[in-house]
């Protein structure tokens, strides 16, 4: 059994329009959301063997705040290809980095994260697929499980969508 966590970065700050997109930080709502997801991650029951994070500042800050909130000390690899990645690129990253682990987390951006989750989810717990199709907001965490021996076997519709956390709903 392989498990893939897809984390979309939390809400970013647009107040400094002079910054290039890659260098935007989180706003206060994003900081709070990332910490909340970090606290809730303990409910997942299984931590990632490896985290692959976009090099964009807001993605790295999302991961840092999540890890701080849960007191996690995960193995993290920064990957510039996750910035603006297409579903095909994300899938190639899963195949590459997943070779040596059972549980993998990717921290990235939309539309790629939402699109790859939709493409990989062949089945889902009741109600989750509809929510995923509706919207993957900033700070959302998607969990997909695969009944395969290696991440090399991850293909379209091969996963089971088992969890979908959205910060706004977790705060309610």
């Amino acid at each position: 059994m392989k498990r893939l966590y897809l984390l979309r970065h939390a809400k970013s700050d647009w107040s400094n329009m002079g910054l290039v997109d890659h260098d935007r930080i989180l706003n206060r709502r994003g900081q709070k959301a990332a910490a909340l997801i970090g606290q809730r991650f303990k409910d997942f029951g299984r931590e990632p063997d490896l985290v692959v994070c976009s090099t964009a500042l807001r993605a790295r800050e999302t991961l840092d705040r999540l890890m701080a909130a849960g007191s996690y000390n995960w193995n993290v690899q920064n990957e510039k290809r996750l910035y603006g990645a297409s579903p095909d690129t994300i899938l190639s990253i899963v195949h590459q980095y997943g070779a040596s682990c059972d549980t993998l987390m990717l921290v990235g951006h939309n539309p790629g994260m939402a699109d790859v989750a939709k493409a990989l989810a062949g089945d889902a717990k009741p109600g989750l697929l509809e929510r995923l199709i509706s919207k993957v907001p900033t700070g959302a965490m998607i969990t997909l499980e695969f009944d395969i021996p290696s991440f090399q076997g991850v293909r379209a519709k091969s996963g089971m969508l088992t969890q979908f956390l959205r910060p706004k709903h977790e705060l309610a």
Side-chain angles (χ1 to χ4, degrees), residues 81-90 93 109-113:
R81 292 180 299 157
L82 273 174
Y83 178 71
S86 69
D88 287 340
T89 299
I90 293 170
I93 290 168
H109 313 267
N110 261 4
M113 296 300 271

Side-chain angles (χ1 to χ4, degrees), residues 61-171:
E61 187 179 354
T62 297
L63 179 60
D64 289 347
R65 289 185 178 274
L66 181 152
M67 289 176 61
S71 298
Y72 303 117
N73 185 24
W74 295 334
N75 180 14
V76 177
Q77 176 73 41
N78 291 319
E79 174 56 71
K80 65 182 178 182
R81 292 180 299 157
L82 273 174
Y83 178 71
S86 69
D88 287 340
T89 299
I90 293 170
L91 187 56
S92 72
I93 290 168
V94 168
H95 290 160
Q96 175 188 346
Y97 286 97
S100 61
C101 61
D102 291 323
T103 305
L104 178 65
M105 178 187 287
L106 302 183
V107 184
H109 313 267
N110 261 4
M113 296 300 271
D115 290 346
V116 79
K118 292 172 195 173
L120 295 178
D123 199 4
K125 288 188 175 178
L128 290 185
L129 194 54
E130 294 80 10
R131 284 188 284 178
L132 178 70
I133 290 168
S134 172
K135 183 177 183 184
V136 177
T138 54
M141 171 82 75
I142 300 161
T143 306
L144 292 156
E145 294 182 354
F146 302 88
D147 191 12
I148 53 177
S150 163
F151 273 108
Q152 297 295 318
V154 171
R155 303 282 182 263
K157 304 297 180 202
S158 66
M160 169 74 155
L161 177 63
T162 59
Q163 221 160 13
F164 182 31
L165 292 180
R166 299 170 295 173
K168 187 173 184 177
H169 298 281
E170 300 304 313
L171 290 169

Side-chain angles (χ1 to χ4, degrees), residues 10-24:
K11 189 79 173 161
S12 60
D13 185 350
W14 285 85
S15 64
N16 185 347
M17 297 304 285
L19 282 178
V20 295
D21 183 68
H22 192 272
D23 295 337
R24 283 190 290 117

